[in-house]
Amino acid sequence: MPSTSDLSAGRFARLLLVALIVVTIALLAWQIVDVMLLVFGAVLLAVMLRRSADWLAERTPLSDGWALAAVVLGSIVVLGLCAWMFGAQVSEQVDQLVQVVPQAWESVRQFLQGSSWGRGVLETVEQFDPSSVSGGVVREASSLLMTVVGGLGNVLLLVAGGVYLAAQPNLYRDGVVMLVPREAEDRTRDTLDKMGDALGKWLKGQFLAMVMVGTMVSLGLWLLGVPSALALGLLAGLGEFVPLVGAVATAIPALLAASTVDMTTVLYVLVLYIVIQQIEGNVIMPIIQSEMVSLAPALALFAVVAFGLLFGILGVIFATPLTVVAYVAVKKLYVEVGLGKKDTGEEPS
C-alpha cells in the first residue's frame, strides 16, 4: 500500500505537470495572439450571421442552412449596392480628404507659430516626427493604405472562418465542451451560450449606434459646408465601434478639414461633435442599452487602453467585445461557481 508521502509526491508531480502544460499553452497562445484575435473576429462575424439567419428562419419557411445562405448572399448584395451607389463619391471624398489634411495642418502650424504657447505645442507634436509634419501625414496615410492592402488576406480568412462558424456553431461549441471535465460540461456549455447571447446583443446595439452617429455627422458636416462630409461621417460611424477613443480620433480629421474653410467653421464642427457625443451618450445609448448589452464607460475606456497596450491595433478594435466575453466568463465561472452567488440575470453594466 503506498505511503502518505508517496501519495503527496504523486499529487505534487501531477499538479506540476498541469502547471507546466498551462504555462506552455499560455506561451504558445501569446506567440500567435494575432491569429487568436482574428479567430475572435471570426466569432463576432459568426454571431452576427447566425443571429440574422435565426431571425430570418423564424419568419420564413427557410431552413437554418438556407437562411444563413440567404443572409450571406444578401450581405454581399447590399455591400455591392452600397459600393455601386456611394463608392465613387466616397472614394473621391477620401482622395480629397488626403489632400486637404496636409494643407489644413500647414494652416494650423502657421497659426501655432504666431504665439509662444503655440510654438511649444508645435515642438511637442513635431517630436513624434522630426521631419515635416504635413509630409508625415501623407506618409502615414500611405503606410495605412499599404497595411490595409496587406491585411486583405487576413480579412478573407476572417470572413471565411466566420461563415464556417456560423454554419455549424454547435459543432465548435461541443468541441470546446469536450475539453473540460465531465462535471463541468453543462456549466461550460451554458457559459458559451451566454457569451454568444451577450455578443449578439452588443453587436446589434453597436451597429445601430454606428449608423445613427455616422448619419448625424455626415448631415451636420454637410450643412456646415465642410469638405468630404460623407467620408468623414463614414469614418465617424466606423469609429463608434471603439467607444470613446474612436469618437476622439475621428473628430481630428474633421477639425482639420474644417480649418480649410475658416476658424469659425472649426469651432462649429467642434461643437457639432460634442453635441453628437452628448446625444449618443445620453439619448441613443441608454435607449439601445435598455434592450441590449451595456458596459460602464470607464470600464470600456480602460479595456481599450489595456487591450491596446497588450495586443496593438487589433486589441483596440476588439477591446469592447472581448470585455463583454470576459464579463460573462467571470460572472458564470467565478461569481456563480467560485463565490456561490446567485445569477441575477443582468447583462454587463
Side-chain angles (χ1 to χ4, degrees):
M1 181 176 179
S3 63
T4 303
S5 60
D6 291 337
L7 292 175
S8 299
R11 183 179 180 185
F12 175 77
R14 287 194 298 271
L15 290 175
L16 180 61
L17 179 61
V18 171
L20 289 174
I21 292 174
V22 170
V23 171
T24 302
I25 293 174
L27 290 175
L28 289 175
W30 184 259
Q31 294 298 318
I32 58 171
V33 64
D34 289 343
V35 177
M36 301 288 286
L37 289 173
L38 283 176
V39 171
F40 183 74
V43 171
L44 281 177
L45 178 61
V47 170
M48 181 179 67
L49 294 175
R50 186 69 263 168
R51 294 281 167 166
S52 302
D54 290 343
W55 180 88
L56 183 62
E58 291 175 358
R59 290 162 175 79
T60 64
L62 295 175
S63 64
D64 289 343
W66 282 109
L68 178 62
V71 168
V72 172
L73 181 60
S75 300
I76 294 173
V77 171
V78 170
L79 290 175
L81 287 175
C82 290
W84 177 65
M85 291 189 301
F86 304 109
Q89 184 178 2
V90 171
S91 177
E92 180 182 351
Q93 292 196 6
V94 168
D95 292 339
Q96 182 183 5
L97 189 61
V98 171
Q99 297 174 2
V100 164
V101 169
Q103 297 172 3
W105 170 251
E106 189 61 31
S107 299
V108 172
R109 187 171 180 273
Q110 293 176 3
F111 172 77
L112 292 175
Q113 286 179 334
S115 61
S116 58
W117 67 267
R119 287 190 292 272
V121 172
L122 192 59
E123 290 175 0
T124 302
V125 172
E126 291 183 336
Q127 286 177 358
F128 295 98
D129 184 359
S131 59
S132 172
V133 176
S134 60
V137 171
V138 177
R139 286 192 296 274
E140 289 299 324
S142 301
S143 175
L144 178 60
L145 178 61
M146 293 302 297
T147 301
V148 171
V149 173
L152 181 60
N154 289 336
V155 172
L156 295 176
L157 178 64
L158 187 151
V159 171
V163 173
Y164 281 125
L165 288 170
Q168 295 180 301
N170 292 336
L171 174 65
Y172 301 99
R173 183 201 61 186
D174 294 341
V176 174
V177 172
M178 289 178 62
L179 300 177
V180 303
R182 188 175 300 276
E183 61 271 15
E185 287 184 353
D186 291 340
R187 172 62 62 177
T188 302
R189 185 178 291 105
D190 180 58
T191 301
L192 292 173
D193 289 340
K194 294 291 186 184
M195 287 178 177
D197 291 340
L199 284 176
K201 291 179 180 180
W202 179 82
L203 282 169
K204 184 177 179 181
Q206 205 63 31
F207 176 76
L208 292 175
M210 290 168 66
V211 171
M212 292 181 181
V213 169
T215 302
M216 287 190 295
V217 169
S218 294
L219 182 59
L221 294 178
W222 176 71
L223 291 174
L224 292 173
V226 176
S228 307
L230 183 59
L232 289 168
L234 178 62
L235 186 64
L238 294 175
E240 191 66 18
F241 191 83
V242 183
L244 305 176
V245 175
V248 175
T250 56
I252 296 174
L255 293 172
L256 289 174
S259 68
T260 62
V261 181
D262 53 52
M263 296 308 296
T264 302
T265 304
V266 173
L267 180 60
Y268 287 154
V269 169
L270 179 61
V271 172
L272 172 69
Y273 270 77
I274 293 174
V275 169
I276 289 176
Q277 285 307 306
Q278 291 301 310
I279 295 174
E280 186 263 353
N282 297 295
V283 179
I284 296 175
M285 292 310 296
I287 294 175
I288 292 175
Q289 290 170 355
S290 64
E291 300 294 334
M292 300 165 196
V293 172
S294 65
L295 286 175
L299 179 60
L301 175 61
F302 287 122
V304 169
V305 175
F307 283 110
L309 291 175
L310 286 173
F311 308 129
I313 186 63
L314 286 177
V316 172
I317 294 173
F318 294 132
T320 308
L322 282 169
T323 305
V324 171
V325 169
Y327 176 92
V328 175
V330 170
K331 178 180 177 182
K332 301 296 292 184
L333 302 179
Y334 176 69
V335 175
E336 295 183 15
V337 177
L339 302 181
K341 294 185 178 181
K342 186 179 179 180
D343 182 11
T344 61
E346 296 178 357
E347 300 292 352
S349 60

